[in-house]
Amino acid sequence: MTEGKNAPPSSSAEVPFQHRLDRKVSMLPHRLVGVIDEGTSTVGFSIFTTPHFEEIATHRMEMPLIAPKPGWFEQDPVVIINNVYRCVEVAITKLPESFQKEDLVAIGITNQRETTVVWDSVSGKPLYNAIVWNDIRTNHTVDQVLARVPDQNKNYFKHMCGLPISPYFSALKIRWLKDNVPAVKKACREKRCKVGTIDSWIIWNLTKGSLHITDVTNASRTMLMNIETLQWDPVLLKTYSVTLNMLPQICSSSEIYGSVTDERSILHGVDISGILGNQQASLLGQMCIKPGQTKNTYRSGCFLLCNIGHQTIISPRGLLTTIAYKLGPNAPVTYALEGAVAVAGHALEWLEKKVRILPQASDAEKFAETVPTTGDVYFVPAFTGLYAPYWRKDARGLIVGLTHHSTKHHVIRAALESICFQTRDILECMYQESEYKFSKLYADGPLSSNNLLMQLQADTAGVTVFRSQILDPTAFGAAMCAAQAEGVDLFKFDIEKKYYENIYYDVFLPTSNAAEQRQRYGKWKRAVERSFDWAFRPKSSTMTEQRYQLLASVPGSLFCFISFAMFVHSMKK
C-alpha cells in the first residue's frame, strides 16, 4: 500500500497530496451553495463556499428505519421532511462569522434512490410510509409481472428502461402500494394520489405543492422512464398500472426549478437548482466526467458506476443502464453502467449485532489483520438475494470452507473480502460491456476508511484504488451540480481539465499477482453458485393470464369430449 502519493498523470487527481484537513478554509466573501443530503440512514444539510467548494457548515440527523416484517423496510416521510428542516436550521447557525444566511444563493438535493413515497395531493399527507430501496416485499409482485411477459424474461423491458424486473425499483413498489393499501387505492380512484422518489417529496414540501418534479437520474431508477426519450413510457406505465397524473415532471439535473416558498423553512426564497440521485452525485463528486472513469461507494451496500458517455449500452450480463447526469435542459445526457452490491457494510453489522463475533463494525480492520488470510473461508452475504451481475432473488447467504482451525478472525476477513469479490464481479462485467480497460478505481463512502479493505480491493481486482479524502463526496457533487446551473453560474464542469485542486486521494497499489487473483476469484465464483436456489417458495396460486386461458378452455373441451363419447356409444348400438 502506498498512501498519500501523487496520482498517475492520467488521473483526475494529478495534484500534490494534501490532506483536506490541513488546508485553510478561505474566509473571503463567497456566494454559498447548500445541499440537502437525504440518505438511507441519515439526513443532512451542508453549506459550501464557491468556487472551491469547501464545506464550512453541516448538520446531520439519524433516520430511523421501520421493519414491520422481515425483509420489509420503511421510513416515515413526515420524519424525513421534519429532519430536513431541522438540519437546515442547525447548519446555518454553524456558519462562520464571516458568512450569513443571505450568502446562500442556491441549494441542491441528493437522495437515496428507488425509495418511494405516495401522498395525498389535497392534504399533502403521506398515504403510507416510504418503502425503502432494499425492501423485498414485492417479490410476489415481480412474479405477477413476469407471468405476463414472454418467457418470463426479467430483462424484457431492459431496452426501454435499462433495468431488469426486480423488487429493487420504484415501479414494483408503486404497484404493491396500489394493490395492498386501501388509502392509496382510494386516492388513485379520486385522482388525489401523487407518487415520487424522496427528491420529489422534499421539493413538494419546500414549494408547498407547487412543484411536483424529479430529475432524470432519479426517474431512471423507477423502471418507468424510457432512457432514450427521457420521458415516462406508456408501455411501462400500463405494465405497472401507474397513471401519468400520479408522476412528477422529469427535469434535467441542473437548472433553476423554482424557489423555496414554504414559510416553515429558513431557506425561504432560495433557488433550488440541482437534483441528483446519491450515487450519481458521488460520481460527479469524484469528477468521473470522462467515459471509462469508474467509482465505487462503500457503504451498507456498494454502488459502482462507470461513465459511458452519451450512448446507451444495454447489458446482457446483469448491469444496469442508468442516467449519470444531464447538466441542463439543453445539455446532452450522460449515461452510466451500474452494478449494485446489496450487502457490504451490512455484512459487518450482521457479524456485530446478530452473530456477535465482532464488538463493533468499525473494529473489522483490527480483527481481520490478526490473520494473514481467510484460511480459505468464503462468505457470500446474500441476505436478500444477489444484485448485479447475478440478479438472483432466490440466493441466500452462506459461509463455506470452514475447518477446525477457522476462527472468527477468518470469518471477519472473509466478510471484508466478500465486498471486494462482489466489486470485482461488477468490474469484470463492465469491462466486457464497455470495453474500457480499468487500471484504476475511485473509492469513497464511510467503509472506504478501512485501509485493509482498500488494500484487499486492490489485490482482489488487480487495479489501483484511489480513495477520495472526501469520504462522502455525495453532497460535494450535488453542490457543484447546483452551482453550475444556468442562472446560478458559480461553477463549470470541464472535461478537458486535468485535475481539480480540491480533490485529494490515498493510493493503494495491488500486491498480488495475476495467478493468485484468478485462483481466489475462481473459488469465490464456486461459493456464489452454492448460494443459488435457497429461497424456495410454494407455487403461486395467482390467476395468471396463461392459467386463466387454460382453465377457461376446460368447459368447452369437456363438452366436446362427452359429446364424442356419446356419439361413439350410440354407433355401437
Side-chain angles (χ1 to χ4, degrees), residues 120-371:
D120 188 318
S121 62
V122 178
S123 68
K125 294 180 180 179
L127 297 166
Y128 192 79
N129 280 337
I131 300 181
V132 179
W133 60 272
N134 58 349
D135 184 286
I136 60 172
R137 77 184 65 189
T138 58
N139 276 344
H140 181 61
T141 310
V142 169
D143 294 338
Q144 289 179 311
V145 174
L146 286 174
R148 299 178 65 86
V149 301
D151 302 321
Q152 297 193 5
N153 179 8
K154 64 185 178 184
N155 293 321
Y156 183 72
F157 297 116
K158 208 170 185 184
H159 67 286
M160 297 182 190
C161 61
L163 311 172
I165 300 171
S166 165
Y168 190 30
F169 305 110
S170 302
L172 276 304
K173 295 172 171 56
I174 298 169
R175 175 70 179 269
W176 185 92
L177 287 161
K178 289 189 68 175
D179 290 345
N180 295 277
V181 181
V184 175
K185 288 182 185 179
K186 186 173 186 291
C188 288
R189 284 197 305 270
E190 297 174 359
K191 297 183 178 180
R192 294 182 290 106
C193 182
K194 296 296 180 185
V195 65
T197 42
I198 297 294
D199 57 308
S200 298
W201 170 245
I202 291 173
I203 292 173
W204 174 277
N205 281 275
L206 288 177
T207 62
K208 299 175 65 176
S210 64
L211 286 179
H212 186 33
I213 61 172
T214 189
D215 89 301
V216 288
T217 66
N218 281 291
S220 72
R221 312 299 295 185
T222 62
M223 213 158 43
L224 296 171
M225 188 190 80
N226 187 301
I227 57 172
E228 295 284 354
T229 66
L230 306 185
Q231 299 297 322
W232 303 120
D233 190 282
V235 173
L236 296 172
L237 296 182
K238 183 177 180 181
T239 299
Y240 297 105
S241 302
V242 179
T243 56
L244 193 60
N245 67 298
M246 299 168 63
L247 294 166
Q249 176 188 348
I250 301 173
C251 302
S252 76
S253 305
S254 182
E255 60 181 279
I256 296 178
Y257 314 101
S259 59
V260 178
T261 56
D262 188 355
E263 296 84 359
R264 294 178 300 165
S265 175
I266 198 170
L267 295 174
H268 190 275
V270 177
D271 286 334
I272 305 168
S273 60
I275 310 171
L276 284 167
N278 55 6
Q279 298 311 316
Q280 285 89 338
S282 174
L283 188 75
L284 281 179
Q286 289 274 31
M287 292 298 175
C288 293
I289 57 177
K290 297 179 182 179
Q293 290 184 318
T294 304
K295 72 90 190 175
N296 191 16
T297 297
Y298 297 81
R299 311 180 69 96
S300 53
C302 282
F303 301 91
L304 276 82
L305 270 74
C306 173
N307 185 323
I308 58 172
H310 303 315
Q311 299 296 321
T312 60
I313 296 174
I314 303 301
S315 166
R317 295 179 175 87
L319 299 180
L320 312 179
T321 306
T322 193
I323 308 298
Y325 48 83
K326 188 177 188 296
L327 298 176
N330 301 316
V333 62
T334 297
Y335 294 94
L337 282 177
E338 177 173 340
V341 174
V343 179
H346 275 319
L348 303 179
E349 294 170 8
W350 180 76
L351 293 176
E352 174 195 345
K353 296 177 181 178
K354 301 295 185 182
V355 187
R356 303 196 178 198
I357 64 173
L358 187 60
Q360 290 185 326
S362 58
D363 294 329
E365 181 176 4
K366 178 179 68 175
F367 277 73
E369 281 183 327
T370 62
V371 289

Side-chain angles (χ1 to χ4, degrees), residues 403-432:
T403 70
H404 181 70
H405 302 288
S406 301
T407 69
K408 64 181 181 181
H409 302 96
H410 294 103
V411 175
I412 293 168
R413 191 177 181 103
L416 290 178
E417 284 198 351
S418 75
I419 300 169
C420 304
F421 281 126
Q422 291 177 95
T423 297
R424 175 167 174 174
D425 282 337
I426 297 169
L427 287 174
E428 293 276 332
C429 287
M430 284 182 172
Y431 172 67
Q432 293 169 8

Side-chain angles (χ1 to χ4, degrees), residues 1 46 48 99 114 142 217 241 373 453-454 475 477 497 561 572:
M1 179 184 77
S46 299
F48 296 84
F99 299 94
E114 298 94 21
V142 169
T217 66
S241 302
T373 70
L453 176 65
M454 294 294 96
K497 197 169 184 178
F561 176 77
K572 288 180 179 180

